[in-house]
Amino acid sequence: MVISLRLPAGGYDITVERGCLQKAGALFNLNRRVLVVTDSGVPAAYAETVAAQCQTPVVVCIPQGEESKTVAWWEHLCRKMLENGFDRTDCVVAVGGGVVGDLSGFAAAAYMRGIDFYNIPTTVLSQVDSSIGGKVAVDLGSIKNIVGAFHQPKGVLVDPDVLDTLPARQIANGLAEAVKMALTFDADLFALFETVNPLDHIEEIIIRSLQCKKAVVEEDEREGGVRRVLNFGHTVGHAIESTTGLSTFYHGECVALGMLPMCSDAVRARLLPVLKKLNLPTDYAGNAAALMQAAAHDKKYSGNTVTVVTVSTVGSYALEKWTPAQLTARMEAYYG
Amino acid sequence: MVISLRLPAGGYDITVERGCLQKAGALFNLNRRVLVVTDSGVPAAYAETVAAQCQTPVVVCIPQGEESKTVAWWEHLCRKMLENGFDRTDCVVAVGGGVVGDLSGFAAAAYMRGIDFYNIPTTVLSQVDSSIGGKVAVDLGSIKNIVGAFHQPKGVLVDPDVLDTLPARQIANGLAEAVKMALTFDADLFALFETVNPLDHIEEIIIRSLQCKKAVVEEDEREGGVRRVLNFGHTVGHAIESTTGLSTFYHGECVALGMLPMCSDAVRARLLPVLKKLNLPTDYAGNAAALMQAAAHDKKYSGNTVTVVTVSTVGSYALEKWTPAQLTARMEAYYG
């Protein structure tokens, strides 16, 4: 299946197909110098399969984990390209999850002020969400994605076969973002989560999630308006991430926790069993004041208010401007 | 005088006026957090004058010189904004030359994926050329501008009064870029250089140069086509910079040297006396092979050819694709 994302400055195709890792050379233009970026948690065979389809591959493997999403690693990737004589016509391919995609995408965005970038996401989280849309960035200390760019990929390959090697917790982590898409956009997808075993329907979930995201990105590439809905669960989720560190919860787990206070009681009553079915956390013994302090660094802040996303009916959402006091009160009410 | 640069995604005004440093608060929106970036070579009074017109200024002074155009200083600026609670609605103002503009412009481009940027150039070079057009970047080692972005300023203030504190060599350095604009676009401006003392006509030279550059940027914001003409003298000039280091020659001096081999004999015969009048260098005892090695890192490379700009009639130019062998031969012929 090919999902075509259309943007004013040209769009790109997202190919969702079992085994399509083998087709990278046919679907992307790899007949040039190619920086293939992967991480130590991704089976080496995936990047090797891609590199074998490149004319002149340079493979860089970064240590797995958010700790690698730094300015230092970003500079390392840029220097690798420079050392290997990359010019404006060369390209970068990410083979990994969100960290690899964000980091290498920002290297592609900045190297010579922008070269081609392709993304081959290998986690559920990046397959359903972060691999499309063009948001690339690195972290500064504990503050996520604070320096980056909008740099759309030239193509995305989603091969559900690569998910077979993922641990169950990583799969659930990614499905949290699919639940987010379902809650805000797609009531039928949410019903699917309620009625079936999501693991048996992973391809359908990926495709429906990508279709939700595609529609949002096409309408609002630079996150000036509707795209902010994709931050549902993330205002509080990022605050939990910053406060507890990523050794406690994965990103998707924080999003799961972050969605709960932003739902109506009726929606929360439907969300809780879905999260439990996915083994996602539903309880967080957090301190609302500490969370608020972390949330104050959020990019969704503008002046003295933060734009939050709320869901009072499954499949729809509202964007609301809240004061820090309002957000603190809501977190206190939910997390106690 | 106001020059309005128009671009598809909105444009901006370039105000050229003696004393306009005092009008920053009136002409820019500084009613927010403002990172004011300057360097140790710029009279502190300039940045102080601007800071006094900001609601919440944070002033950072970097060490003067190309050595500060690093990833480390760029990260420092981003961290300064983070520490001071800058959000997407805040902005950066550069008060300095090309290094300050490029470095702080790239910080503005990347912080939260892009915040507003204003430029107040204080050198001839940045006033006639680098302050407009949106090219921002930092260096990696000796390779200039290798990581960066296209991030247009929201406004530019050109105050010719600030040039009064510049040493003569710095002024000549900047005028080299104005000579470049004249040779490629504006025969009348070139005639002005031939007939008058440029120092007595600095405002006219600035305005005419900016008008040339504005026309090019409006036609080709991302340097896909005609904008490459602005690199006239820079392919060889950057190679001289990389080879000799900036302690020997300033950027504009390298451009002066770099233009000479790319002119026809007739144009060179007119260019030489102009460069001499400006005390710009006209002789370089260079090694063509070493220069070619440095030039191979140039962003103007694409595959196995480099796009060079040649001038055979004053006020016009040609874009030509040369092989490394052609470029080496031309440099050998000129520099011996």
Side-chain angles (χ1 to χ4, degrees):
Chain A
M1 161 134 206
V2 175
I3 299 169
S4 293
L5 200 148
R6 294 292 155 239
L7 292 168
Y12 49 95
D13 286 345
I14 304 141
T15 302
V16 185
E17 188 184 318
R18 289 195 180 272
C20 68
L21 200 64
Q22 306 288 347
K23 293 189 178 173
L27 294 169
F28 299 161
N29 171 13
L30 304 181
N31 191 26
R32 40 183 166 170
R33 288 183 194 86
V34 183
L35 185 76
V36 180
V37 184
T38 191
D39 78 37
S40 57
V42 178
Y46 298 168
E48 285 161 13
T49 299
V50 173
Q53 298 169 74
C54 301
Q55 183 193 69
T56 312
V58 175
V59 180
V60 175
C61 181
I62 64 168
Q64 181 178 29
E66 189 77 23
E67 297 71 24
S68 295
K69 221 168 112 179
T70 59
V71 169
W73 274 109
W74 168 80
E75 183 178 352
H76 177 81
L77 296 184
C78 293
R79 285 187 184 272
K80 268 283 165 191
M81 289 192 270
L82 190 56
E83 284 162 18
N84 285 280
F86 277 53
D87 67 35
R88 278 182 177 163
T89 65
D90 295 319
C91 69
V92 175
V93 181
V95 182
V99 169
V100 169
D102 284 4
L103 175 71
S104 60
F106 186 40
Y111 188 73
M112 293 195 175
R113 298 195 185 90
I115 64 172
D116 285 355
F117 173 58
Y118 298 104
N119 207 338
I120 304 181
T122 62
T123 62
V124 177
L125 193 141
S126 53
Q127 289 196 347
V128 301
D129 184 2
S130 70
S131 64
I132 75 165
K135 284 172 71 172
V136 294
V138 297
D139 306 335
L140 286 182
S142 67
I143 309 299
K144 287 189 64 170
N145 302 326
I146 204 76
V147 284
F150 289 93
H151 189 66
Q152 298 290 342
K154 288 278 166 183
V156 180
L157 281 192
V158 176
D159 182 349
D161 278 352
V162 305
L163 305 177
D164 294 347
T165 50
L166 287 181
R169 188 178 167 197
Q170 269 292 2
I171 292 174
N173 176 53
L175 289 173
E177 295 281 5
V179 170
K180 174 196 78 176
M181 303 285 188
L183 270 181
T184 46
F185 281 106
D186 188 342
D188 291 344
L189 177 57
F190 193 79
L192 195 71
F193 274 110
E194 289 178 303
T195 50
V196 303
N197 178 355
L199 299 184
D200 298 336
H201 292 258
I202 197 89
E203 232 174 305
E204 185 179 352
I205 290 170
I206 291 169
I207 289 168
R208 291 189 81 120
S209 297
L210 287 173
Q211 281 166 334
C212 292
K213 180 141 180 191
K214 159 194 151 73
V216 172
V217 171
E218 283 178 343
E219 196 177 325
D220 176 23
E221 184 183 355
R222 292 290 179 119
E223 201 166 314
V226 66
R227 185 162 177 173
R228 287 179 289 187
V229 67
L230 298 175
N231 289 319
F232 176 57
H234 284 64
T235 303
V236 177
H238 278 158
I240 294 174
E241 260 182 69
S242 294
T243 310
T244 62
L246 282 159
S247 50
T248 310
F249 292 121
Y250 289 175
H251 174 73
E253 293 169 348
C254 294
V255 171
L257 289 168
M259 289 190 285
L260 287 163
M262 313 312 272
C263 293
S264 67
D265 291 345
V267 171
R268 193 180 306 115
R270 288 179 63 187
L271 176 57
L272 278 167
V274 166
L275 297 182
K276 282 176 179 155
K277 184 182 194 173
L278 294 170
N279 285 314
L280 286 164
T282 55
D283 283 315
Y284 176 66
N287 175 293
L291 287 179
M292 193 54 234
Q293 202 172 356
H297 283 299
D298 203 288
K299 289 188 296 301
K300 293 171 283 291
Y301 249 85
S302 166
N304 284 320
T305 59
V306 62
T307 301
V308 299
V309 187
T310 59
V311 172
S312 55
T313 309
V314 169
S316 70
Y317 65 90
L319 291 175
E320 300 178 15
K321 281 189 185 293
W322 285 13
T323 62
Q326 279 176 289
L327 184 57
T328 305
R330 178 64 70 100
M331 291 192 290
E332 260 169 7
Y334 189 77
Y335 299 126
Chain B
M1 162 131 206
V2 175
I3 299 169
S4 293
L5 199 149
R6 293 292 155 240
L7 292 168
Y12 49 95
D13 286 346
I14 304 142
T15 303
V16 185
E17 188 184 319
R18 289 194 179 274
C20 68
L21 201 63
Q22 306 288 346
K23 293 189 179 175
L27 294 169
F28 298 160
N29 171 13
L30 304 181
N31 191 26
R32 41 183 165 169
R33 289 183 194 86
V34 183
L35 185 76
V36 179
V37 184
T38 190
D39 77 37
S40 56
V42 178
Y46 298 167
E48 284 160 13
T49 299
V50 173
Q53 298 170 73
C54 301
Q55 185 194 66
T56 311
V58 175
V59 180
V60 175
C61 182
I62 65 170
Q64 182 178 27
E66 188 77 24
E67 297 71 23
S68 296
K69 222 169 111 178
T70 59
V71 169
W73 274 109
W74 167 79
E75 182 177 352
H76 177 81
L77 296 183
C78 293
R79 285 187 185 271
K80 269 281 166 194
M81 290 192 269
L82 190 56
E83 284 162 18
N84 285 279
F86 277 53
D87 68 35
R88 279 181 175 162
T89 65
D90 296 319
C91 69
V92 175
V93 181
V95 182
V99 170
V100 169
D102 283 4
L103 175 71
S104 60
F106 186 40
Y111 188 73
M112 294 195 176
R113 298 196 185 87
I115 64 173
D116 284 355
F117 173 57
Y118 298 104
N119 207 338
I120 305 182
T122 62
T123 62
V124 177
L125 193 141
S126 53
Q127 289 196 347
V128 301
D129 185 3
S130 70
S131 64
I132 74 165
K135 283 171 72 173
V136 294
V138 297
D139 306 335
L140 285 182
S142 67
I143 309 298
K144 287 189 63 171
N145 302 326
I146 204 77
V147 284
F150 289 93
H151 189 66
Q152 298 290 341
K154 288 278 166 184
V156 179
L157 281 192
V158 176
D159 182 349
D161 279 352
V162 304
L163 304 177
D164 294 347
T165 50
L166 287 181
R169 188 178 167 197
Q170 269 293 1
I171 292 173
N173 176 53
L175 289 174
E177 294 281 6
V179 170
K180 173 196 78 176
M181 303 285 188
L183 270 182
T184 47
F185 281 106
D186 189 341
D188 291 344
L189 177 57
F190 193 78
L192 195 71
F193 274 111
E194 289 178 302
T195 49
V196 303
N197 178 356
L199 298 183
D200 297 337
H201 292 259
I202 197 89
E203 232 174 305
E204 185 178 352
I205 290 169
I206 291 169
I207 289 168
R208 291 189 82 120
S209 297
L210 287 173
Q211 282 165 333
C212 293
K213 178 141 181 190
K214 159 195 150 74
V216 173
V217 171
E218 283 178 342
E219 197 177 325
D220 177 22
E221 183 183 356
R222 293 289 179 120
E223 203 167 311
V226 65
R227 184 163 178 174
R228 287 178 288 186
V229 66
L230 298 174
N231 288 318
F232 177 57
H234 284 64
T235 303
V236 176
H238 278 160
I240 294 174
E241 261 182 69
S242 294
T243 310
T244 62
L246 282 157
S247 50
T248 310
F249 292 122
Y250 289 174
H251 174 73
E253 293 169 348
C254 294
V255 172
L257 289 169
M259 289 190 285
L260 287 164
M262 312 312 271
C263 293
S264 66
D265 291 346
V267 171
R268 192 180 305 116
R270 288 180 64 187
L271 176 57
L272 278 166
V274 166
L275 296 183
K276 281 176 180 156
K277 184 182 195 173
L278 293 170
N279 285 315
L280 286 165
T282 55
D283 284 315
Y284 176 64
N287 175 293
L291 288 179
M292 193 54 233
Q293 202 173 358
H297 283 300
D298 202 287
K299 289 190 294 305
K300 293 173 281 293
Y301 250 86
S302 167
N304 285 319
T305 59
V306 61
T307 301
V308 299
V309 188
T310 59
V311 172
S312 55
T313 309
V314 169
S316 70
Y317 65 90
L319 291 175
E320 299 177 16
K321 281 189 186 295
W322 285 12
T323 62
Q326 279 177 288
L327 184 57
T328 305
R330 178 66 69 100
M331 291 191 292
E332 260 170 7
Y334 189 78
Y335 299 126

